[in-house]
Amino acid sequence: MNPDVLKRVRQVMAATFEIDEASIPDDASPENLERWDSLHNMNLIVALEQEFGIQFSDDDVMGALSLPKLVSIVERQQ
Amino acid sequence: MPESKIFILRNFAVDHIKRPLEKAGQLQGLPVEVTLGGYDNVVQDMLSLPGQPGHDLIVCSLTLDGLAGGLWSPSWSLEKAKDALTDLYALLEKQGRTRVALNTFVPPLNPWLPQTPASSHSGRTTAVRELNQWIRSFVEEKAGVFSLIDWENLAAGIGYEAALDPRFGMMMKAPFKAAFLELYATEIIRIVQAVRPRKKVLALDGDNTLWGGVVGELGPTNVAIDPSEYPGIAFYRLQFELLQLREQGVLLVACSKNNEADFWEVIEKHPHCLLKREHFAATRINWTDKAENLASMAEELRLTLDSFVFLDDNPAEVDRIRQACPDVTVLQVPEHLYRLPGLVSGQRLFDRVSLSAEDLERARLYEVEQQRTSSRSSFQSVDDFLRSLEMRADIHEMKAEEIERVSQLTQRTNQFNLTTRRYTETEIGAEVPGRKIFTLSVADRFGDLGLVGVAILHILDDCVEVDSFLLSCRVIGRKLEHAFLLSILQELPAHAPSLLRAAYRRTAKNAQVASLWSDFGLQTTETEGDNIVFTGEIGSLTCETPSFILLTANS
């Protein structure tokens, strides 16, 4: 896992969810992160697409429900 | 300011609207509290609404996907959609007290039909456009309850690409992008504000605001208003916009540093000038401070300054009003003049949900003022005109309930004010031996003008001294000062001295009364700087109560 990508994804996530970066666990998902609801999920996807200049595939949009998955989606597209 | 409560009924994921709503509210100084109804729970939420605490606005936010089986269902039809909406709207109307914002729908651009002559009148696009027209008529008919947010127009304004989000629309039933939701939020806030409109008056500068250029330099017919030229077209379109605002009940007033004759020459002689003299509810075309002019127009129109919007091109004037009149909304003519038309309307300051009794009252007041002015020109002499006003003056010693207004007049009156002494309410209300305060209230055949004159006298051992003598600018030029002075002198106690002492203290504003005391037959006795003192025997004054002013009994 590219540590730089992970750091930027965490930053985008913290900004979108309006939470402290330190409060995001490495295995963050809608189950363990209260702010990660469907509304914030959409915002997060749009924010990541803008941050990295990428486009999530349909499967990615529906399946990107954990921090490790998000990082791998970003890495795959870069 | 208490929060405005907005309840959103919805049949799709409009959750993203919360933040833009709070932001749009903040921009307008209107804190909002947003409650979202359950997703696709419109009817249930609607039925439970009456039991909930008072909302300021209910937003009924619907897409066609969740209505009448869904727009793309083969069994969908325009009639079915109308029926479904009719039922919903009837429920909303029944809940009664709270205003409801409805929306039109964004017509699908792809009707999924081949482009043939036969298809152009069928298909979903046409049907939705028709449905929208039906909704517009419905809202217009029921403007007492419903307001419209026209999604079709909003989406057309920014374009479908920017407005619609097909991805999240299909995946998560969130069909709108942020840019569209921001517009939607602005419209919602606009309606909340329009329920209690504050702005009623638009104060306009002349040069480089109503027309391009300076009339004093270019001449009245050479300033830019010609719609076939730039920037003339910008000013022409602004004037068109102003006339439309006026038709909706906005009072237009002129606040211009100019020679008054020059200003009216543009209005009357420029071939392209759309604004006419009768369109102005009040005018202050002079070299006086504009903050003062706004205040005196507010007084004339009997409105407060927070109902004023001010438009001017001069940064110094804009800054002056911002500093001196924080309640006035200040707009500056933009650097790019093609942005001038639409600037005022775009601020949405004059929105109102319906024409209230108050609006009608304002229109009447304005009309009355127009009658007063217009009748002036048709008389042979000033006295003829004044006689036609059928003035009734009520002059008496100040009553307790008049203290506030008397203090106000001493604070605000600048032009017809012989000594310009300012007094607080406490000072006016205090018991001062030998002091007598008189008030003048006037009515004429057009209406009641209220308390418009104040005189403060001191009965001293050797003379009666005029401490203050002033008239509101509303009644200047009506020869009321003659009636006022004579009446109060007659009210003096029998033991009062027969010598009258009065002063004229020159200020930047009161030149017009410099010769009042000498006109009344008093002699100059001392001059000290800007203070000139006059004296004379009360019995030998050369003023008399004009025959056209009827003195009414002390009421």
Side-chain angles (χ1 to χ4, degrees), chain B residues 84-114:
Chain B
L85 288 176
T86 303
D87 291 347
L88 279 179
Y89 294 171
L91 275 175
L92 285 167
E93 197 177 350
K94 239 195 250 166
Q95 59 80 32
R97 298 194 307 270
T98 312
R99 176 158 290 275
V100 181
L102 303 178
N103 56 270
T104 57
F105 304 101
V106 182
L109 274 193
N110 180 357
W112 290 344
L113 286 171

PDB file of all heavy atoms in Angstrom, chain B residues 84-114:
ATOM      1  N   ALA B  84     -52.179  12.095  -9.047  1.00  0.00           N
ATOM      2  CA  ALA B  84     -51.378  11.852  -7.845  1.00  0.00           C
ATOM      3  C   ALA B  84     -51.014  13.170  -7.173  1.00  0.00           C
ATOM      4  O   ALA B  84     -51.095  13.309  -5.946  1.00  0.00           O
ATOM      5  CB  ALA B  84     -50.117  11.066  -8.216  1.00  0.00           C
ATOM      6  N   LEU B  85     -50.616  14.148  -7.998  1.00  0.00           N
ATOM      7  CA  LEU B  85     -50.241  15.445  -7.436  1.00  0.00           C
ATOM      8  C   LEU B  85     -51.452  16.153  -6.833  1.00  0.00           C
ATOM      9  O   LEU B  85     -51.352  16.772  -5.774  1.00  0.00           O
ATOM     10  CB  LEU B  85     -49.589  16.326  -8.516  1.00  0.00           C
ATOM     11  CG  LEU B  85     -48.188  15.899  -8.941  1.00  0.00           C
ATOM     12  CD1 LEU B  85     -47.679  16.767 -10.087  1.00  0.00           C
ATOM     13  CD2 LEU B  85     -47.210  15.960  -7.769  1.00  0.00           C
ATOM     14  N   THR B  86     -52.572  16.062  -7.510  1.00  0.00           N
ATOM     15  CA  THR B  86     -53.784  16.713  -6.992  1.00  0.00           C
ATOM     16  C   THR B  86     -54.096  16.221  -5.583  1.00  0.00           C
ATOM     17  O   THR B  86     -54.395  17.018  -4.689  1.00  0.00           O
ATOM     18  CB  THR B  86     -54.983  16.421  -7.924  1.00  0.00           C
ATOM     19  OG1 THR B  86     -54.636  16.866  -9.239  1.00  0.00           O
ATOM     20  CG2 THR B  86     -56.228  17.158  -7.447  1.00  0.00           C
ATOM     21  N   ASP B  87     -53.971  14.892  -5.389  1.00  0.00           N
ATOM     22  CA  ASP B  87     -54.237  14.337  -4.051  1.00  0.00           C
ATOM     23  C   ASP B  87     -53.246  14.866  -3.021  1.00  0.00           C
ATOM     24  O   ASP B  87     -53.618  15.283  -1.927  1.00  0.00           O
ATOM     25  CB  ASP B  87     -54.154  12.803  -4.091  1.00  0.00           C
ATOM     26  CG  ASP B  87     -55.313  12.206  -4.880  1.00  0.00           C
ATOM     27  OD1 ASP B  87     -56.269  12.961  -5.163  1.00  0.00           O
ATOM     28  OD2 ASP B  87     -55.256  11.011  -5.214  1.00  0.00           O
ATOM     29  N   LEU B  88     -51.962  14.838  -3.403  1.00  0.00           N
ATOM     30  CA  LEU B  88     -50.928  15.315  -2.474  1.00  0.00           C
ATOM     31  C   LEU B  88     -51.140  16.791  -2.126  1.00  0.00           C
ATOM     32  O   LEU B  88     -51.084  17.190  -0.961  1.00  0.00           O
ATOM     33  CB  LEU B  88     -49.551  15.155  -3.110  1.00  0.00           C
ATOM     34  CG  LEU B  88     -48.919  13.771  -3.055  1.00  0.00           C
ATOM     35  CD1 LEU B  88     -47.559  13.795  -3.754  1.00  0.00           C
ATOM     36  CD2 LEU B  88     -48.740  13.335  -1.605  1.00  0.00           C
ATOM     37  N   TYR B  89     -51.364  17.584  -3.150  1.00  0.00           N
ATOM     38  CA  TYR B  89     -51.512  19.020  -2.938  1.00  0.00           C
ATOM     39  C   TYR B  89     -52.725  19.317  -2.055  1.00  0.00           C
ATOM     40  O   TYR B  89     -52.698  20.230  -1.230  1.00  0.00           O
ATOM     41  CB  TYR B  89     -51.645  19.765  -4.268  1.00  0.00           C
ATOM     42  CG  TYR B  89     -50.406  19.732  -5.153  1.00  0.00           C
ATOM     43  CD1 TYR B  89     -50.448  20.203  -6.464  1.00  0.00           C
ATOM     44  CD2 TYR B  89     -49.195  19.241  -4.669  1.00  0.00           C
ATOM     45  CE1 TYR B  89     -49.315  20.194  -7.275  1.00  0.00           C
ATOM     46  CE2 TYR B  89     -48.062  19.214  -5.478  1.00  0.00           C
ATOM     47  CZ  TYR B  89     -48.132  19.690  -6.783  1.00  0.00           C
ATOM     48  OH  TYR B  89     -47.023  19.671  -7.582  1.00  0.00           O
ATOM     49  N   ALA B  90     -53.780  18.514  -2.243  1.00  0.00           N
ATOM     50  CA  ALA B  90     -54.984  18.727  -1.436  1.00  0.00           C
ATOM     51  C   ALA B  90     -54.674  18.468   0.037  1.00  0.00           C
ATOM     52  O   ALA B  90     -55.097  19.216   0.919  1.00  0.00           O
ATOM     53  CB  ALA B  90     -56.109  17.820  -1.915  1.00  0.00           C
ATOM     54  N   LEU B  91     -53.888  17.415   0.298  1.00  0.00           N
ATOM     55  CA  LEU B  91     -53.483  17.124   1.679  1.00  0.00           C
ATOM     56  C   LEU B  91     -52.670  18.283   2.256  1.00  0.00           C
ATOM     57  O   LEU B  91     -52.863  18.697   3.396  1.00  0.00           O
ATOM     58  CB  LEU B  91     -52.637  15.849   1.713  1.00  0.00           C
ATOM     59  CG  LEU B  91     -53.379  14.522   1.789  1.00  0.00           C
ATOM     60  CD1 LEU B  91     -52.375  13.370   1.690  1.00  0.00           C
ATOM     61  CD2 LEU B  91     -54.155  14.431   3.098  1.00  0.00           C
ATOM     62  N   LEU B  92     -51.746  18.781   1.441  1.00  0.00           N
ATOM     63  CA  LEU B  92     -50.894  19.875   1.907  1.00  0.00           C
ATOM     64  C   LEU B  92     -51.717  21.122   2.188  1.00  0.00           C
ATOM     65  O   LEU B  92     -51.446  21.860   3.128  1.00  0.00           O
ATOM     66  CB  LEU B  92     -49.821  20.187   0.853  1.00  0.00           C
ATOM     67  CG  LEU B  92     -48.691  19.174   0.776  1.00  0.00           C
ATOM     68  CD1 LEU B  92     -47.863  19.390  -0.474  1.00  0.00           C
ATOM     69  CD2 LEU B  92     -47.803  19.285   2.019  1.00  0.00           C
ATOM     70  N   GLU B  93     -52.699  21.358   1.354  1.00  0.00           N
ATOM     71  CA  GLU B  93     -53.523  22.544   1.525  1.00  0.00           C
ATOM     72  C   GLU B  93     -54.325  22.428   2.819  1.00  0.00           C
ATOM     73  O   GLU B  93     -54.535  23.407   3.518  1.00  0.00           O
ATOM     74  CB  GLU B  93     -54.456  22.702   0.320  1.00  0.00           C
ATOM     75  CG  GLU B  93     -55.038  24.101   0.216  1.00  0.00           C
ATOM     76  CD  GLU B  93     -55.897  24.265  -1.025  1.00  0.00           C
ATOM     77  OE1 GLU B  93     -55.886  23.364  -1.898  1.00  0.00           O
ATOM     78  OE2 GLU B  93     -56.593  25.288  -1.107  1.00  0.00           O
ATOM     79  N   LYS B  94     -54.733  21.201   3.129  1.00  0.00           N
ATOM     80  CA  LYS B  94     -55.566  20.976   4.306  1.00  0.00           C
ATOM     81  C   LYS B  94     -54.824  21.263   5.600  1.00  0.00           C
ATOM     82  O   LYS B  94     -55.428  21.674   6.585  1.00  0.00           O
ATOM     83  CB  LYS B  94     -56.050  19.514   4.309  1.00  0.00           C
ATOM     84  CG  LYS B  94     -57.576  19.409   4.305  1.00  0.00           C
ATOM     85  CD  LYS B  94     -58.003  18.007   4.670  1.00  0.00           C
ATOM     86  CE  LYS B  94     -58.592  17.276   3.465  1.00  0.00           C
ATOM     87  NZ  LYS B  94     -58.709  15.838   3.682  1.00  0.00           N
ATOM     88  N   GLN B  95     -53.486  21.026   5.607  1.00  0.00           N
ATOM     89  CA  GLN B  95     -52.755  21.240   6.863  1.00  0.00           C
ATOM     90  C   GLN B  95     -52.799  22.708   7.262  1.00  0.00           C
ATOM     91  O   GLN B  95     -52.493  23.053   8.406  1.00  0.00           O
ATOM     92  CB  GLN B  95     -51.325  20.702   6.788  1.00  0.00           C
ATOM     93  CG  GLN B  95     -50.444  21.296   5.684  1.00  0.00           C
ATOM     94  CD  GLN B  95     -49.862  22.647   6.017  1.00  0.00           C
ATOM     95  OE1 GLN B  95     -49.585  22.943   7.162  1.00  0.00           O
ATOM     96  NE2 GLN B  95     -49.687  23.492   5.020  1.00  0.00           N
ATOM     97  N   GLY B  96     -53.147  23.562   6.289  1.00  0.00           N
ATOM     98  CA  GLY B  96     -53.546  24.911   6.669  1.00  0.00           C
ATOM     99  C   GLY B  96     -52.456  25.936   6.796  1.00  0.00           C
ATOM    100  O   GLY B  96     -52.059  26.527   5.821  1.00  0.00           O
ATOM    101  N   ARG B  97     -51.938  26.125   7.990  1.00  0.00           N
ATOM    102  CA  ARG B  97     -51.266  27.382   8.298  1.00  0.00           C
ATOM    103  C   ARG B  97     -49.928  27.609   7.605  1.00  0.00           C
ATOM    104  O   ARG B  97     -49.584  28.733   7.297  1.00  0.00           O
ATOM    105  CB  ARG B  97     -51.057  27.470   9.805  1.00  0.00           C
ATOM    106  CG  ARG B  97     -52.362  27.477  10.577  1.00  0.00           C
ATOM    107  CD  ARG B  97     -52.100  27.914  11.995  1.00  0.00           C
ATOM    108  NE  ARG B  97     -51.056  27.129  12.630  1.00  0.00           N
ATOM    109  CZ  ARG B  97     -51.300  26.009  13.307  1.00  0.00           C
ATOM    110  NH1 ARG B  97     -52.516  25.573  13.434  1.00  0.00           N
ATOM    111  NH2 ARG B  97     -50.315  25.333  13.862  1.00  0.00           N
ATOM    112  N   THR B  98     -49.144  26.572   7.398  1.00  0.00           N
ATOM    113  CA  THR B  98     -47.785  26.782   6.920  1.00  0.00           C
ATOM    114  C   THR B  98     -47.718  26.852   5.388  1.00  0.00           C
ATOM    115  O   THR B  98     -48.368  26.068   4.706  1.00  0.00           O
ATOM    116  CB  THR B  98     -46.863  25.649   7.418  1.00  0.00           C
ATOM    117  OG1 THR B  98     -47.086  25.481   8.795  1.00  0.00           O
ATOM    118  CG2 THR B  98     -45.416  25.978   7.166  1.00  0.00           C
ATOM    119  N   ARG B  99     -46.928  27.795   4.901  1.00  0.00           N
ATOM    120  CA  ARG B  99     -46.724  27.909   3.456  1.00  0.00           C
ATOM    121  C   ARG B  99     -45.969  26.687   2.943  1.00  0.00           C
ATOM    122  O   ARG B  99     -45.115  26.133   3.642  1.00  0.00           O
ATOM    123  CB  ARG B  99     -45.935  29.184   3.165  1.00  0.00           C
ATOM    124  CG  ARG B  99     -45.558  29.397   1.713  1.00  0.00           C
ATOM    125  CD  ARG B  99     -45.284  30.854   1.436  1.00  0.00           C
ATOM    126  NE  ARG B  99     -46.527  31.616   1.499  1.00  0.00           N
ATOM    127  CZ  ARG B  99     -47.365  31.750   0.458  1.00  0.00           C
ATOM    128  NH1 ARG B  99     -47.073  31.220  -0.703  1.00  0.00           N
ATOM    129  NH2 ARG B  99     -48.464  32.447   0.595  1.00  0.00           N
ATOM    130  N   VAL B 100     -46.305  26.273   1.736  1.00  0.00           N
ATOM    131  CA  VAL B 100     -45.699  25.074   1.151  1.00  0.00           C
ATOM    132  C   VAL B 100     -45.014  25.434  -0.159  1.00  0.00           C
ATOM    133  O   VAL B 100     -45.611  26.091  -1.019  1.00  0.00           O
ATOM    134  CB  VAL B 100     -46.769  23.997   0.865  1.00  0.00           C
ATOM    135  CG1 VAL B 100     -46.114  22.758   0.281  1.00  0.00           C
ATOM    136  CG2 VAL B 100     -47.542  23.662   2.131  1.00  0.00           C
ATOM    137  N   ALA B 101     -43.759  25.015  -0.309  1.00  0.00           N
ATOM    138  CA  ALA B 101     -43.044  25.215  -1.570  1.00  0.00           C
ATOM    139  C   ALA B 101     -43.141  23.943  -2.405  1.00  0.00           C
ATOM    140  O   ALA B 101     -42.764  22.871  -1.947  1.00  0.00           O
ATOM    141  CB  ALA B 101     -41.581  25.563  -1.294  1.00  0.00           C
ATOM    142  N   LEU B 102     -43.677  24.090  -3.607  1.00  0.00           N
ATOM    143  CA  LEU B 102     -43.760  22.962  -4.537  1.00  0.00           C
ATOM    144  C   LEU B 102     -42.689  23.130  -5.601  1.00  0.00           C
ATOM    145  O   LEU B 102     -42.122  24.206  -5.756  1.00  0.00           O
ATOM    146  CB  LEU B 102     -45.139  22.933  -5.205  1.00  0.00           C
ATOM    147  CG  LEU B 102     -46.351  22.862  -4.267  1.00  0.00           C
ATOM    148  CD1 LEU B 102     -47.639  22.892  -5.087  1.00  0.00           C
ATOM    149  CD2 LEU B 102     -46.294  21.610  -3.411  1.00  0.00           C
ATOM    150  N   ASN B 103     -42.427  22.048  -6.339  1.00  0.00           N
ATOM    151  CA  ASN B 103     -41.476  22.182  -7.425  1.00  0.00           C
ATOM    152  C   ASN B 103     -42.061  21.673  -8.738  1.00  0.00           C
ATOM    153  O   ASN B 103     -42.990  20.856  -8.736  1.00  0.00           O
ATOM    154  CB  ASN B 103     -40.172  21.424  -7.125  1.00  0.00           C
ATOM    155  CG  ASN B 103     -40.387  19.956  -6.817  1.00  0.00           C
ATOM    156  OD1 ASN B 103     -40.581  19.571  -5.680  1.00  0.00           O
ATOM    157  ND2 ASN B 103     -40.364  19.134  -7.870  1.00  0.00           N
ATOM    158  N   THR B 104     -41.528  22.204  -9.840  1.00  0.00           N
ATOM    159  CA  THR B 104     -41.795  21.576 -11.130  1.00  0.00           C
ATOM    160  C   THR B 104     -40.755  20.459 -11.289  1.00  0.00           C
ATOM    161  O   THR B 104     -39.961  20.222 -10.379  1.00  0.00           O
ATOM    162  CB  THR B 104     -41.650  22.579 -12.290  1.00  0.00           C
ATOM    163  OG1 THR B 104     -40.325  23.126 -12.249  1.00  0.00           O
ATOM    164  CG2 THR B 104     -42.675  23.692 -12.170  1.00  0.00           C
ATOM    165  N   PHE B 105     -40.763  19.791 -12.412  1.00  0.00           N
ATOM    166  CA  PHE B 105     -39.836  18.680 -12.623  1.00  0.00           C
ATOM    167  C   PHE B 105     -38.881  18.998 -13.767  1.00  0.00           C
ATOM    168  O   PHE B 105     -39.189  19.806 -14.633  1.00  0.00           O
ATOM    169  CB  PHE B 105     -40.615  17.397 -12.924  1.00  0.00           C
ATOM    170  CG  PHE B 105     -41.621  17.071 -11.846  1.00  0.00           C
ATOM    171  CD1 PHE B 105     -42.974  17.349 -12.016  1.00  0.00           C
ATOM    172  CD2 PHE B 105     -41.196  16.538 -10.634  1.00  0.00           C
ATOM    173  CE1 PHE B 105     -43.891  17.070 -11.009  1.00  0.00           C
ATOM    174  CE2 PHE B 105     -42.114  16.255  -9.623  1.00  0.00           C
ATOM    175  CZ  PHE B 105     -43.461  16.525  -9.811  1.00  0.00           C
ATOM    176  N   VAL B 106     -37.720  18.358 -13.706  1.00  0.00           N
ATOM    177  CA  VAL B 106     -36.771  18.547 -14.797  1.00  0.00           C
ATOM    178  C   VAL B 106     -37.162  17.601 -15.921  1.00  0.00           C
ATOM    179  O   VAL B 106     -37.096  16.383 -15.752  1.00  0.00           O
ATOM    180  CB  VAL B 106     -35.331  18.256 -14.328  1.00  0.00           C
ATOM    181  CG1 VAL B 106     -34.351  18.495 -15.472  1.00  0.00           C
ATOM    182  CG2 VAL B 106     -34.979  19.113 -13.119  1.00  0.00           C
ATOM    183  N   PRO B 107     -37.606  18.131 -17.063  1.00  0.00           N
ATOM    184  CA  PRO B 107     -38.032  17.232 -18.141  1.00  0.00           C
ATOM    185  C   PRO B 107     -36.837  16.438 -18.659  1.00  0.00           C
ATOM    186  O   PRO B 107     -35.756  16.992 -18.817  1.00  0.00           O
ATOM    187  CB  PRO B 107     -38.547  18.188 -19.226  1.00  0.00           C
ATOM    188  CG  PRO B 107     -38.668  19.514 -18.573  1.00  0.00           C
ATOM    189  CD  PRO B 107     -37.703  19.529 -17.441  1.00  0.00           C
ATOM    190  N   PRO B 108     -37.005  15.156 -18.874  1.00  0.00           N
ATOM    191  CA  PRO B 108     -35.894  14.370 -19.430  1.00  0.00           C
ATOM    192  C   PRO B 108     -35.591  14.863 -20.831  1.00  0.00           C
ATOM    193  O   PRO B 108     -36.510  15.144 -21.596  1.00  0.00           O
ATOM    194  CB  PRO B 108     -36.451  12.947 -19.447  1.00  0.00           C
ATOM    195  CG  PRO B 108     -37.937  13.120 -19.512  1.00  0.00           C
ATOM    196  CD  PRO B 108     -38.251  14.383 -18.772  1.00  0.00           C
ATOM    197  N   LEU B 109     -34.309  15.026 -21.137  1.00  0.00           N
ATOM    198  CA  LEU B 109     -33.974  15.545 -22.462  1.00  0.00           C
ATOM    199  C   LEU B 109     -34.002  14.451 -23.508  1.00  0.00           C
ATOM    200  O   LEU B 109     -34.130  14.705 -24.681  1.00  0.00           O
ATOM    201  CB  LEU B 109     -32.604  16.208 -22.432  1.00  0.00           C
ATOM    202  CG  LEU B 109     -32.622  17.668 -22.012  1.00  0.00           C
ATOM    203  CD1 LEU B 109     -31.288  18.316 -22.323  1.00  0.00           C
ATOM    204  CD2 LEU B 109     -33.756  18.431 -22.701  1.00  0.00           C
ATOM    205  N   ASN B 110     -33.845  13.214 -23.064  1.00  0.00           N
ATOM    206  CA  ASN B 110     -33.865  12.117 -24.009  1.00  0.00           C
ATOM    207  C   ASN B 110     -35.216  11.407 -23.939  1.00  0.00           C
ATOM    208  O   ASN B 110     -35.467  10.639 -23.028  1.00  0.00           O
ATOM    209  CB  ASN B 110     -32.737  11.138 -23.667  1.00  0.00           C
ATOM    210  CG  ASN B 110     -32.712   9.983 -24.635  1.00  0.00           C
ATOM    211  OD1 ASN B 110     -33.575   9.890 -25.526  1.00  0.00           O
ATOM    212  ND2 ASN B 110     -31.757   9.103 -24.471  1.00  0.00           N
ATOM    213  N   PRO B 111     -36.084  11.676 -24.877  1.00  0.00           N
ATOM    214  CA  PRO B 111     -37.418  11.072 -24.794  1.00  0.00           C
ATOM    215  C   PRO B 111     -37.415   9.622 -25.243  1.00  0.00           C
ATOM    216  O   PRO B 111     -38.434   8.969 -25.183  1.00  0.00           O
ATOM    217  CB  PRO B 111     -38.237  11.936 -25.746  1.00  0.00           C
ATOM    218  CG  PRO B 111     -37.254  12.508 -26.713  1.00  0.00           C
ATOM    219  CD  PRO B 111     -35.908  12.533 -26.048  1.00  0.00           C
ATOM    220  N   TRP B 112     -36.279   9.085 -25.633  1.00  0.00           N
ATOM    221  CA  TRP B 112     -36.152   7.696 -26.068  1.00  0.00           C
ATOM    222  C   TRP B 112     -37.101   7.370 -27.205  1.00  0.00           C
ATOM    223  O   TRP B 112     -37.711   6.321 -27.268  1.00  0.00           O
ATOM    224  CB  TRP B 112     -36.360   6.724 -24.898  1.00  0.00           C
ATOM    225  CG  TRP B 112     -35.211   6.802 -23.924  1.00  0.00           C
ATOM    226  CD1 TRP B 112     -34.001   7.358 -24.156  1.00  0.00           C
ATOM    227  CD2 TRP B 112     -35.176   6.325 -22.596  1.00  0.00           C
ATOM    228  NE1 TRP B 112     -33.205   7.269 -23.058  1.00  0.00           N
ATOM    229  CE2 TRP B 112     -33.908   6.630 -22.074  1.00  0.00           C
ATOM    230  CE3 TRP B 112     -36.092   5.655 -21.777  1.00  0.00           C
ATOM    231  CZ2 TRP B 112     -33.519   6.310 -20.782  1.00  0.00           C
ATOM    232  CZ3 TRP B 112     -35.698   5.335 -20.499  1.00  0.00           C
ATOM    233  CH2 TRP B 112     -34.433   5.663 -20.000  1.00  0.00           C
ATOM    234  N   LEU B 113     -37.273   8.337 -28.021  1.00  0.00           N
ATOM    235  CA  LEU B 113     -38.080   8.102 -29.214  1.00  0.00           C
ATOM    236  C   LEU B 113     -37.309   8.658 -30.403  1.00  0.00           C
ATOM    237  O   LEU B 113     -36.598   9.634 -30.275  1.00  0.00           O
ATOM    238  CB  LEU B 113     -39.423   8.819 -29.098  1.00  0.00           C
ATOM    239  CG  LEU B 113     -40.453   8.203 -28.148  1.00  0.00           C
ATOM    240  CD1 LEU B 113     -41.620   9.132 -27.981  1.00  0.00           C
ATOM    241  CD2 LEU B 113     -40.904   6.852 -28.659  1.00  0.00           C
ATOM    242  N   PRO B 114     -37.457   8.043 -31.538  1.00  0.00           N
ATOM    243  CA  PRO B 114     -36.759   8.579 -32.706  1.00  0.00           C
ATOM    244  C   PRO B 114     -37.296   9.968 -33.065  1.00  0.00           C
ATOM    245  O   PRO B 114     -38.442  10.291 -32.758  1.00  0.00           O
ATOM    246  CB  PRO B 114     -37.068   7.551 -33.808  1.00  0.00           C
ATOM    247  CG  PRO B 114     -38.292   6.847 -33.337  1.00  0.00           C
ATOM    248  CD  PRO B 114     -38.258   6.869 -31.838  1.00  0.00           C
TER     249      PRO B 114
END
